[in-house]
Amino acid sequence: MRTAGPSLLSRLVRRLIIALYRWRGYQLEDNYPAPRRCIIIGVPHTTNWDFVFFLGATAEAGIRPSFMGKHTLFAWPMTRFMYDMGGVSVDRSAKGRNYVDQVVDAFAGAEELALVVAPEGTRSASRPWRSGFYHIAHKAGVALVPAWVEDKTRRGGIGPAIMPSGDYAGDLAKLLAYYRSVMPGHPRWALLEAAITEERSEAHA
């Protein structure tokens, strides 16, 4: 849980990141209203500047973003700073309680939680999207909000919310349609196509 008020350090870091966002000249082209409880999908993840964009863009949109972090990062003396910055502690080594259920519990105890997730995993993504973000959203009953950034042109956006239906491949196809509409021809969408194909193949096996 977060402390009563943000620390001086977290306020300074947040202001610095927002200043960098403005200095870089990012343009928020799409800015659909996001639910108070949702998972914001941040793609394509190609550079460390993506973090600056998503924090700055969510601030511009009036959203307080959160992120998942390894539980060891929340140990003293970083505890207050991590929670102030929106961290959600996850212990992937916990027996009988996987990280999906831990984050679902965090949603259950929060009136407002906008969790930013990068399903590609790394900047040099080479595998289909990881599905954890979807399982969290479906089990928690919260919306998926597609967000995007193109660092070369300093463009980005926050798209329309999609409620997960339980049809993973079908919902990914909806996300793909949106991403293609704002960033047509981007090579990273092949990874999303691969995730859809893989899911449909397993469903019919």
Side-chain angles (χ1 to χ4, degrees), residues 78-91:
M78 296 297 292
T79 306
R80 183 176 179 183
F81 174 77
M82 292 296 290
Y83 283 119
D84 283 349
M85 292 300 294
V88 175
S89 176
V90 172
D91 183 357

Side-chain angles (χ1 to χ4, degrees), residues 59-77:
E60 185 176 337
I63 302 168
R64 183 175 177 83
S66 291
F67 61 93
M68 287 184 287
K70 190 176 181 181
H71 70 287
T72 53
L73 298 175
F74 291 77
W76 189 89

Side-chain angles (χ1 to χ4, degrees), residues 132-191:
F133 77 96
Y134 186 86
H135 297 306
I136 293 169
H138 189 234
K139 293 186 73 171
V142 301
L144 298 168
V145 175
W148 60 280
V149 59
E150 187 174 46
D151 191 68
K152 287 183 179 180
T153 60
R154 308 289 196 268
R155 299 165 52 246
I158 299 172
I162 298 172
M163 283 302 298
S165 66
D167 177 4
Y168 180 48
D171 291 339
L172 285 185
K174 294 176 184 177
L175 293 171
L176 178 58
Y178 169 72
Y179 283 124
R180 278 181 166 162
S181 73
V182 293
M183 295 180 70
H186 197 286
R188 282 291 182 91
W189 305 149
L191 295 173

Side-chain angles (χ1 to χ4, degrees), residues 7 9 11 17 37 50 93 101 122 125 148 165 191 198 205:
S7 65
L9 177 60
R11 294 199 304 270
I17 293 173
R37 298 165 72 246
D50 297 343
S93 65
D101 290 335
T122 63
W148 60 280
S165 66
L191 295 173
E198 183 179 280

